[in-house]
């Protein structure tokens, strides 16, 4: 990053935050603290009202805003693709807002940049599946949950799990304090503290019904940060499979989230998966038919064999 770009970036960083330390700026822009001192001095001499407090950091004088800046073609394309993504994946409220943002961005672009941006944008396209188009209920819930998170109010819903629990139940009513939403491989997940489990749990919006926003307030824990949050990994069971060479590429392209490792061998593609329960893999393994063999554990080999025998009896 050259000096001009760094000076602009420093002002933008100061606009985003109330106070910024020189050490933090040096780490962010991968330069020395002494260089940051010189940059701050250069900005001050150029008329940018920067206030410095020893031992605290730098801040911009209240009421100062950077004049409108121009976008390069790649920057404009990035922003416009971002608005298209939001239109497809977020709820109706944000869909409308993203369309408005797209109009504002296009309006302020110089004609040359706008024309070039349009040309580049036509070479890329975001597609969503028919299944995603039909997820109107999920998008409706997305908006309600987002509002509950911002208002710090609990919600309740009926939840259906993919597998039964230790008591043989698949459905339950949950009351939770919603902490945040995460989009994983096209699926929206709610991170929340569950009153029933008295701990943080994850819930797919697609498995929710009868969602209700409650009046009960909650306080987000001071130590919780969604961007830093890493869920506890309780997948302790390893499964090893062997696929024939002919479908090795298809297995790789499946991008199955339980896959830990894949290696090519003379007898086929060896795949290692890690799961919480072996039943989580049954349908996926059966879907490959005779092209896959369970190497271990033996208990899972027996489980697949039993399912195949049941299928054989049905036919």
């Amino acid at each position: 990053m050259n000096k001009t770009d760094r000076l602009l970036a420093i002002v933008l960083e100061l606009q985003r935050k109330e106070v910024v330390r020189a050490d933090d700026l040096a780490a962010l822009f991968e330069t020395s603290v002494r260089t940051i001192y010189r940059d701050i001095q250069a900005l001050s001499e150029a008329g940018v009202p920067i206030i410095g407090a020893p031992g605290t950091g730098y801040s911009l004088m209240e009421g100062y805003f950077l004049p409108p800046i121009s976008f390069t073609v790649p920057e404009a394309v990035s922003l416009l693709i971002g608005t298209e993504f939001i239109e497809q994946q977020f709820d109706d409220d944000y869909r409308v807002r993203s369309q408005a943002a797209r109009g504002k961005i296009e309006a302020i672009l110089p004609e040359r940049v706008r024309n070039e941006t349009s040309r580049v944008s036509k070479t890329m396209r975001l597609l969503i599946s028919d299944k995603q188009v039909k997820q109107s209920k999920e998008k409706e819930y997305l908006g309600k949950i987002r509002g509950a998170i911002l208002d710090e109010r609990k919600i309740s819903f009926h939840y259906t799990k993919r597998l039964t629990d230790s008591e043989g139940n698949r459905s339950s009513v949950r009351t939770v304090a919603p902490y945040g939403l995460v989009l994983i491989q096209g699926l929206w997940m709610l991170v929340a503290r569950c009153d029933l489990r008295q701990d943080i749990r994850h819930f797919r919006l697609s498995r929710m019904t009868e969602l209700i926003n409650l009046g009960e307030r909650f306080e987000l824990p001071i130590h919780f940060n969604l961007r830093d949050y890493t869920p506890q990994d309780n997948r302790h069971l390893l499964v090893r499979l062997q696929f024939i060479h002919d479908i090795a590429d298809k297995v790789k392209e499946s991008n199955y989230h339980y896959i830990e490792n894949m290696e090519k061998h003379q007898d086929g593609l060896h795949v290692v998966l890690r799961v919480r329960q072996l039943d989580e893999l049954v349908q996926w393994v059966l879907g490959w038919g005779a092209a896959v063999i369970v190497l271990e554990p033996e208990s899972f080999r027996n489980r697949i064999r039993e399912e195949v025998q049941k299928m054989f009896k049905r036919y």
Side-chain angles (χ1 to χ4, degrees):
M1 179 181 289
N2 59 43
K3 181 177 180 179
T4 302
D5 290 341
R6 189 174 64 248
L7 291 177
L8 174 60
I10 288 174
V11 176
L12 293 174
E13 190 69 13
L14 290 171
Q15 282 192 168
R16 280 194 289 264
K17 301 177 181 178
E18 292 184 2
V19 180
V20 183
R21 298 186 311 140
D23 290 343
D24 295 333
L25 289 172
L28 179 62
F29 299 116
E30 299 180 349
T31 188
S32 67
V33 175
R34 184 178 295 275
T35 297
I36 295 298
Y37 290 154
R38 288 197 293 264
D39 290 342
I40 294 295
Q41 182 178 355
L43 288 169
S44 297
E45 293 173 353
V48 179
I50 298 177
I51 302 171
T56 302
Y58 298 105
S59 61
L60 284 176
M61 183 179 294
E62 186 176 355
Y64 176 82
F65 293 96
L66 188 69
I69 59 176
S70 61
F71 293 111
T72 64
V73 171
E75 290 170 344
V77 170
S78 299
L79 290 172
L80 294 177
I81 289 178
T83 61
E84 184 178 353
F85 176 80
I86 291 174
E87 288 178 36
Q88 294 183 5
Q89 298 290 349
F90 284 61
D91 55 88
D92 289 343
D93 185 27
Y94 266 98
R95 177 178 59 79
V96 173
R97 293 171 188 267
S98 66
Q99 290 173 344
R102 171 188 289 270
K104 291 179 180 179
I105 293 171
E106 291 175 337
I108 65 172
L109 293 177
E111 183 177 0
R112 180 189 64 80
V113 177
R114 184 166 60 249
N115 292 338
E116 183 65 12
T117 298
S118 176
R119 190 179 73 85
V120 175
S121 296
K122 290 177 180 177
T123 66
M124 292 174 281
R125 185 181 178 189
L126 294 179
L127 291 177
I128 57 175
S129 66
D130 292 338
K131 178 181 178 182
Q132 288 175 306
V133 171
K134 297 175 182 177
Q135 292 175 341
S136 57
K137 178 63 71 175
E138 184 175 341
K139 288 191 175 182
E140 176 189 338
Y141 284 179
L142 180 63
K144 288 184 177 180
I145 294 172
R146 183 167 52 78
I149 293 172
L150 296 176
D151 292 340
E152 294 189 341
R153 295 186 182 276
K154 290 187 175 183
I155 59 175
S156 71
F157 49 85
H158 286 73
Y159 192 70
T160 302
K161 294 186 293 185
R162 181 169 174 267
L163 301 173
T164 58
D165 57 24
S166 57
E167 299 175 354
N169 299 318
R170 287 190 63 198
S171 299
S172 59
V173 178
R174 302 295 183 99
T175 297
V176 305
Y179 287 177
L181 289 158
V182 182
L183 183 64
I184 304 176
Q185 297 182 340
L187 297 172
W188 279 104
M189 302 282 292
L190 169 65
V191 179
R193 190 179 193 281
C194 178
D195 285 2
L196 179 64
R197 303 302 182 193
Q198 290 294 300
D199 201 358
I200 294 180
R201 291 290 188 269
H202 311 136
F203 305 93
R204 284 191 186 184
L205 271 62
S206 59
R207 296 179 183 171
M208 295 179 182
T209 57
E210 302 181 39
L211 176 69
I212 300 174
N213 281 10
L214 305 176
E216 184 180 353
R217 300 295 297 267
F218 73 90
E219 289 188 10
L220 186 70
I222 298 177
H223 64 273
F224 182 85
N225 186 317
L226 185 62
R227 293 189 177 277
D228 298 332
Y229 170 70
T230 302
Q232 186 177 13
D233 192 348
N234 57 355
R235 297 178 300 151
H236 303 305
L237 299 176
L238 290 180
V239 174
R240 290 181 170 81
L241 308 175
Q242 175 188 317
F243 292 86
I244 62 174
H245 286 296
D246 292 347
I247 66 165
D249 289 339
K250 290 183 178 180
V251 176
K252 294 176 182 178
E253 291 169 0
S254 71
N255 197 29
Y256 195 46
H257 54 277
Y258 289 131
I259 293 178
E260 288 278 300
N261 186 45
M262 290 185 284
E263 291 183 358
K264 280 189 175 182
H265 292 262
Q266 289 186 343
D267 57 355
L269 178 70
H270 287 210
V271 178
V272 178
L273 305 97
R274 191 155 56 95
V275 296
R276 289 177 290 272
Q277 303 177 52
L278 294 176
D279 283 351
E280 292 176 304
L281 292 180
V282 172
Q283 299 301 322
W284 188 76
V285 172
L286 289 174
W288 296 101
V292 61
I293 298 174
V294 178
L295 298 178
E296 57 181 51
E298 186 65 27
S299 60
F300 191 54
R301 284 173 60 93
N302 294 334
R303 178 79 170 83
I304 296 298
R305 186 182 296 113
E306 291 172 1
E307 287 296 322
V308 172
Q309 290 172 349
K310 290 178 183 178
M311 293 171 61
F312 181 74
K313 289 179 180 180
R314 284 185 175 272
Y315 289 92

